[in-house]
Amino acid sequence: MRFGGLLAVNAVDMSVRSGEIVGLIGPNGAGKTTFFNCLTGLYRPTGGQVSFAGRPLPPRPRKVVQAGMARTFQNIRLFQNMTALENVMVGRYCRTSAGPLTSIVRGPKFRREEAATRARAQELLGFVGIPEAGESLARNLSYGDQRRLEIARALATDPQLLLLDEPTAGMNPQETRQAEELIFRIRDSGLAVVVIEHDMRFIFNLCDRVLCLVQGEVLVQGTPEQVQSDPRVIEAYIGTSDEGETGDA
């Protein structure tokens, strides 16, 4: 992915299997979020190809979601003046089929799908741990609950692959542990998960594999143990392989 003369992402090759959690780490400006934007159609890659379940994906967000890939964002993007339940229902509408006419007149098909969408949204609020939040406006939820709500909305699209962009940013230790448990539950349901994070302890406890990006390229990839002990990763974060430690970055 190029922006003028800047090569932001270069020859990043990643494959993810069902039921696997993959971590994506790297210093600020490494290209992690840009990579997510290329995967999900927010950016049209300058070169290369995104394939999902063996098929090329066009760089159009709606097509990406319908194919089975969903994401959250580094900066929370909720509909702040809608309720938590309504936010999740919005995510579900990519799986409904009622046409404009039956939706306007609220025909039988629309009513059936609307009831099913509402029930599924409430189920997902329970899954992420905020079952009582349904009628609360998104803007009135705590920061941690807003993070969970965004995950619920992504899950409402029935994804096979979930991309999480810094899901624990700004969270306290208790909220971080809850986020970790939630991601494990998502993985155990059969989904593949890719997580961008700066909290090294969180990533290394969570992931089956980890990729470290530096200046838009994959510096190291492997198991958490392999990546954690690689001196190149330490150097990428703190500027020297002889000082410091791989704590939170």
Side-chain angles (χ1 to χ4, degrees):
M1 183 68 207
R2 289 184 178 274
F3 298 99
L6 174 66
L7 186 58
V9 177
N10 183 32
V12 176
D13 191 358
M14 172 190 284
S15 59
V16 186
R17 297 179 291 271
S18 297
E20 183 179 38
I21 303 175
V22 177
L24 193 59
I25 65 172
N28 288 329
K32 303 181 296 296
T33 296
T34 298
F35 180 57
F36 267 22
N37 289 343
C38 290
L39 293 180
T40 55
L42 293 182
Y43 292 163
R44 182 181 294 271
T46 313
Q49 180 174 283
V50 179
S51 296
F52 188 72
R55 297 180 179 179
L57 273 184
R60 297 200 294 275
R62 183 173 179 84
K63 293 293 185 182
V64 170
V65 172
Q66 289 175 333
M69 190 187 303
R71 70 171 294 181
T72 64
F73 292 86
Q74 183 177 0
N75 299 314
I76 296 174
R77 297 187 184 182
L78 295 171
F79 299 103
Q80 296 290 339
N81 292 320
M82 293 170 61
T83 67
L85 188 69
E86 289 168 340
N87 267 274
V88 183
M89 291 175 69
V90 167
R92 188 68 187 164
Y93 287 135
C94 70
R95 300 299 178 193
T96 59
S97 59
L101 181 59
T102 189
S103 298
I104 292 172
V105 301
R106 305 183 71 85
K109 183 175 183 180
F110 170 83
R111 292 197 300 272
R112 288 194 302 269
E113 288 190 338
E114 189 76 357
T117 295
R118 180 175 294 273
R120 178 58 176 159
Q122 185 60 55
E123 180 184 355
L124 286 169
L125 289 176
F127 180 80
V128 301
I130 50 172
E132 73 291 340
E135 298 308 314
S136 299
L137 294 180
R139 69 184 183 197
N140 293 334
L141 299 179
S142 70
Y143 178 82
D145 285 352
Q146 288 190 35
R147 285 282 182 190
R148 281 184 278 273
L149 176 57
E150 194 172 36
I151 292 175
R153 185 178 61 186
L155 292 174
T157 68
D158 281 349
Q160 300 174 51
L161 172 62
L162 181 63
L163 308 176
L164 302 175
D165 195 345
E166 298 193 27
T168 68
M171 288 187 176
N172 61 42
Q174 180 180 357
E175 290 171 331
T176 298
R177 286 193 299 272
Q178 292 171 343
E180 183 179 51
E181 293 169 358
L182 173 57
I183 294 171
F184 280 137
R185 290 201 304 274
I186 293 170
R187 186 272 314 274
D188 291 343
S189 71
L191 274 65
V193 184
V194 180
V195 184
I196 292 174
E197 246 321 327
H198 283 292
D199 185 334
M200 297 295 99
R201 188 176 297 107
F202 175 80
I203 278 288
F204 292 137
N205 286 339
L206 182 75
C207 297
D208 302 300
R209 287 189 294 122
V210 178
L211 282 77
C212 179
L213 291 188
V214 175
Q215 296 181 348
E217 298 183 351
V218 177
L219 177 69
V220 177
Q221 63 176 306
T223 65
E225 293 77 15
Q226 291 170 331
V227 174
Q228 186 175 18
S229 61
D230 195 303
R232 292 173 295 174
V233 175
I234 302 172
E235 185 174 0
Y237 272 96
I238 63 176
T240 175
S241 58
D242 299 322
E243 300 177 1
E245 58 186 17
T246 56
D248 297 352

